[in-house]
Amino acid sequence: MNILLVGSGGREHALAWKIAQSPLVERLVAAPGNPGMARLCEVREVGATDVAGLLALAREIAADLVVIGPEVSVAAGLADELAVAAIPCFGPTAAAGQLESSKAFTKAFADRHGLPTAAYQVCETVDQAKAALDGFSAPFVVKADGLAAGKGVVIAATRAEADAAVEDALGGRFGAAGARVVIEEFLEGEIGSLFALCDGATSMLFGWGQDHKRAFDGEQGPNTGGMGVYSPAPVFTPALVEQVRTRLAEPAFAGIAEEGAPYRGVLFVELMATAQGPKLVEFNARFGDPECQALMLRLESDLVPYLMACATGRLAELPPPEWSEDAAICVVLAAKGYPATPKAGGEIRGAEADFGPDVVVFQAGARRDADGTLRAAGGRVLNVCAKGPTLQAARERAYAAVGKIDFPDGFCRSDIGWRALAREPG
Ligand code: AMP
Ligand code: GLY
């Protein structure tokens, strides 16, 4: 098979790493890819939202399958154009992808289909938003409506901070993504990420884990796209997984199909495990980043048949995926200043060393100079991932590798996995 993989982050590096291991694959091309992916497969300089360019590339390489990594390609309608060209695509249409691209759409969708979620109000002006805030109590949750790379959410401890967040978002900080804001009830509980595949009709669970969204240790600092993750996560008891499947994932797939936009790809259900059961925090129309990295380390089945089955309506023919009993962890190395003002260009040494069989370093926002030097070129720069028989063992391996990477302009959290380790006896 020939596969075109779209994207350039750590998630896509992890997908490329796993896809390249499949005996089914003859040719794997990534666009636009990154220096780490270039060591695994061909990379071509076509941007993730250049729909015409990607379609032409898919035709040029006679792609049997296009795999969409990032949400921006979903929102740009890449799957829609590929459908017209009859090229199988893993990734939803722009209409189905509204489950991620508009929080206001998702909240109304949740209401229409009875999905449990936080009470909310959608507001278009600062006055409306301030009036809405009067109806909630601290901590306040203020969200930009559109795609903001995980940075459009503010949890404000005080009303003054909430007012400032509203003014900031509606004042244009997130461009068109902030034309509306959603004010939401604060949910008490533990956060989790669950993944489910769908081929338009049949769906299947595809792993879960726990992310760390705040920038700094101890859940301090601003929200980010995710600073580290581990899988499995003890918050996902069998009962919770079952509730998420039946109350959130399956009703979402049924609802979006009923609304005329059957979902083909992976749905990322971000939920809060509350005392009243799981409540939807948000959907994403793609794998999580860095959740995907940890999942790819644990996935023992060949990934490619699952991607292809979603694209071609044949998921019912496949067994559930097999996962390693091992725990996997991913520690994100970000550029100093992330998420607001990540420092670009910092030199990285030692990231491409061989760290042994249980450690893989994926590249995210990285670029390579002509002389081979690796440099930071984004907020989240490297994903140091490790596997081990216990989370503690995986974590020690990951942080040992972090210690060997020389990235003076970078930082990471030192407490990834703390919630699970706090539960482990001894
Ligand atoms: P999101 O970008 O929607 O994933 O939100 C970022 C983070 O903010 C989430 O991972 C949660 O930790 C937190 N969060 C979002 N919505 C709520 C809410 N309604 N109540 C409590 N925490 C929330
Ligand atoms: N790690 C959370 C996300 O991908 O949005």
Side-chain angles (χ1 to χ4, degrees):
M1 278 174 66
N2 297 332
I3 297 182
L4 173 60
L5 170 63
V6 178
S8 62
R11 167 184 48 216
E12 289 78 22
H13 188 178
L15 290 170
W17 176 79
K18 186 68 187 167
I19 291 170
Q21 293 171 34
S22 170
L24 300 170
V25 176
E26 239 163 83
R27 186 174 181 193
L28 173 62
V29 178
N34 67 34
M37 293 162 84
R39 300 170 78 208
L40 289 171
C41 65
E42 284 173 62
V43 298
R44 298 283 286 269
E45 273 188 36
V46 182
T49 56
D50 178 359
V51 172
L54 292 167
L55 185 61
L57 180 56
R59 286 204 170 106
E60 180 199 318
I61 69 163
D64 300 293
L65 175 67
V66 175
V67 178
I68 300 182
E71 61 273 23
V72 288
S73 312
V74 172
L78 178 57
D80 305 71
E81 289 301 316
L82 290 165
V84 173
I87 300 173
C89 174
F90 176 85
T93 59
Q98 283 183 89
L99 285 176
E100 169 163 12
S101 59
S102 167
K103 291 187 194 288
F105 173 87
T106 304
K107 296 299 283 191
F109 176 89
D111 285 350
R112 285 198 293 281
H113 298 282
L115 279 57
T117 187
Y120 72 101
Q121 240 174 290
V122 180
C123 309
E124 289 178 6
T125 66
V126 172
D127 286 348
Q128 261 178 15
K130 289 188 177 173
L133 283 168
D134 291 341
F136 293 92
S137 51
F140 300 94
V141 182
V142 179
K143 301 184 170 185
D145 176 46
L147 297 179
K151 293 164 237 166
V153 174
V154 174
I155 312 285
T158 64
R159 178 60 196 262
E161 263 179 70
D163 286 347
V166 158
E167 282 161 18
D168 201 26
L170 290 172
R173 166 142 183 243
F174 303 106
R180 294 188 289 185
V181 296
V182 177
I183 310 286
E184 207 172 86
E185 167 201 8
F186 181 81
L187 297 172
E188 294 280 355
E190 196 170 330
I191 199 87
S193 308
L194 177 139
F195 299 87
L197 302 180
C198 187
D199 66 2
T202 300
S203 63
M204 181 187 284
L205 296 181
F206 209 70
W208 43 84
Q210 191 171 57
D211 192 8
H212 299 62
K213 301 281 284 187
R214 298 294 191 114
F216 309 129
D217 282 9
E219 306 311 323
Q220 300 297 308
N223 269 314
T224 69
M227 291 300 293
V229 74
Y230 62 100
S231 170
V235 63
F236 283 103
T237 59
L240 182 69
V241 169
E242 193 56 15
Q243 289 171 346
V244 180
R245 180 174 73 79
T246 57
R247 298 183 194 174
L248 293 173
E250 289 178 354
F253 291 133
I256 201 84
E258 199 182 299
E259 295 187 10
Y263 196 99
R264 293 187 191 86
V266 61
L267 183 70
F268 168 173
V269 184
E270 185 182 1
L271 60 108
M272 196 69 82
T274 74
Q276 297 83 42
K279 291 200 179 175
L280 178 67
V281 173
E282 66 171 21
F283 286 125
N284 294 304
R286 49 167 175 88
F287 277 115
D289 187 348
E291 284 89 337
C292 181
Q293 291 82 314
L295 289 184
M296 291 305 111
L297 257 70
R298 287 189 57 229
L299 181 61
E300 295 196 325
S301 309
D302 186 345
L303 175 64
V304 171
Y306 289 91
L307 301 175
M308 192 64 181
C310 287
T312 55
R314 305 185 72 161
L315 204 52
E317 296 170 20
L318 294 182
E322 283 175 31
W323 302 100
S324 163
E325 296 286 318
D326 280 355
I329 190 168
C330 172
V331 177
V332 171
L333 277 170
K336 281 184 185 161
Y338 176 73
T341 50
K343 184 170 181 204
E347 188 173 342
I348 303 156
R349 285 201 210 95
E352 293 175 313
D354 181 358
F355 294 98
D358 295 315
V359 177
V360 191
V361 179
F362 297 117
Q363 297 179 15
R367 66 176 167 85
R368 195 186 301 287
D369 286 349
D371 68 2
T373 307
L374 202 61
R375 291 188 185 277
R380 294 182 293 170
V381 179
L382 298 173
N383 305 145
V384 181
C385 303
K387 248 185 3 173
T390 61
L391 177 62
Q392 182 61 37
R395 188 190 209 220
E396 281 166 16
R397 287 173 189 168
Y399 280 110
V402 167
K404 291 182 193 153
I405 296 173
D406 182 20
F407 177 27
D409 288 334
F411 75 99
C412 67
R413 280 182 58 162
S414 67
D415 63 350
I416 302 303
W418 70 268
R419 280 195 180 87
L421 295 172
R423 296 180 192 221
E424 271 181 13

